[in-house]
Amino acid sequence: MSNKLPNDVFVPLASDLLDKKKPKYEALYDHIKEAIFSGRLKTNDKLPSSRYLSKLVGISRNSVLTAYELLFSEGFIESRKGAGTFIADIADLKPLLGKVATTAFTQENIRISDSGKRINAIESPMCLEAAEPREQILQPAQPAMDVFPYREWQACVAKSLRDVSTYSEQPAMGVFLLREQIKEFLLLTRGVRCDVGEVMITSGSQQALSIALSLLVNSDDSVLLEEIGFKGIDGALSSLGALQATLPIDEQGICFNKEDDICQQAKTLILTPSRSFPLGHTLSLQRRLAIIEWAYETQGWIIEDDYDSEFIFSGHSIASLQGLDSGGRVIYTGTFSRTMFPGIRLGYIVLPAILVPLFNKYKRFVDGGLSAQQQAAMGLFMQNGAYSRHLRRMRKLYKSRKTMLDQLVRKEIPSLSLIPSDGGMHSVYCFQENQNDITICRKANQQGLGIRALSSYQRTQQFNKDSRTGIILGYAGATEEHMHKGVTLLRQIMDEESIKKADY
């Protein structure tokens, strides 16, 4: 066969190769394989000689030979003695010919599990939507990286890398040094009572929650939740097929009555007792005791998310729920993503002793453990006192930044009503008149504010109450300049929305 037919296939390749960042032989290999799949090259078509093709498309002969060798080793082409190189007769490829380019996956035709379908059906809340890779100047939960002790942290990282023991496989529960430091830290600061063997390192509080739910909650089980809270929990529950049962929140935290039918039907409660998320209310002692009594009577589980209790600005935060539990019904979770930096991806879970063997086995199955060097570095950072010093500095700084932001908002946007809170990394402001917080936040975030709509954290109501609307502004990672810029932009956007509403 002459080279005429293959030339029609290869001539367009010459210009394409000039734009390819991949190696020339790989581009040629891909081009020939695609031509086979699409039917432009058919069984018994003769390929040009390596010398001829190298001149035709402007690449070295070695690149052509390498591409041919790859195609030959995979069975796409064959060499015939004295005749040349030909497209092989591949029966299994015949159903694909002419169809590859037109085959496309859609959300309707992909084959996924029932769990996957439940997750796919969930509408992503604004707080989980992918953000532009740029600065979000008032985004909640962003620590003050402008004053982070980089040198101290880097010294701990360097030391952990020199420790040859961190290069060996580690226990699924995590590096011992870090678990030991967490145990001591939590006892001192949160009143958490545990042994080192009951502390498990996770990639964050979200993984801790996911593991706990996977092992303790069945499909169709009812799980008690705060009516306003982190929507990542909802996704984890939906994937299991579990049912949500929401309880209202007031200034004393979650409203809990163990005699209510909704509480009697559930066996698991997830809550943020030290500072309800995102409102910042502290659960009263009376309700704490009632919740623990409920867990004893129903043999239920309490999952305590202590997400930013490190940042209380006056006095000491109330002790953890776990510290009041003498019957092993509370599972305690925490994270370093807020106190250190988001990219650290380290958290922990403190387990009742009875659950340790099960959780240990499960974690070994699902991930086998996290980076030992990162864990060791965090353990060293805590051991040498750098972590405690860092937290003390941040408490002082965040208190100052919160005061600055709240005063600025009060002056520039008096229509926003502050929900009182004495700690944390963000402030919550409610609208005094009905406004669409989702629309306002979306427009603000297009301009780089990174703020959150209060209503996006609202779960399905069971008490016929109107959803609360408002704005959540982060101050921890915001400088004074950021705050002035962000609040000015927010005021302009809210004014524009008010004008549009009035026009209607």
Side-chain angles (χ1 to χ4, degrees), residues 137-161:
I137 59 179
L138 292 179
Q139 184 172 341
Q142 296 302 302
M145 297 309 299
D146 55 320
V147 293
F148 183 77
Y150 289 100
R151 289 186 178 180
E152 289 181 282
W153 171 248
Q154 289 165 0
C156 293
V157 172
K159 187 174 181 179
S160 73
L161 292 173

Side-chain angles (χ1 to χ4, degrees), residues 126 134 437-449 451 493 496-497 500:
M126 181 183 298
R134 60 174 179 168
D437 56 357
I438 298 290
T439 298
I440 289 173
C441 284
R442 183 172 290 115
K443 292 186 176 181
N445 294 344
Q446 289 171 354
Q447 299 188 48
L449 267 64
I451 64 179
I493 292 169
E496 291 172 0
E497 289 302 304
K500 288 181 181 178

Side-chain angles (χ1 to χ4, degrees), residues 73-99:
S73 65
E74 295 180 357
F76 288 103
I77 64 175
E78 61 186 14
S79 178
R80 299 176 187 174
K81 189 174 181 178
T85 303
F86 296 82
I87 303 301
D89 184 7
I90 310 172
D92 292 341
L93 281 180
K94 290 180 180 177
L96 293 175
L97 298 181
K99 297 181 180 179

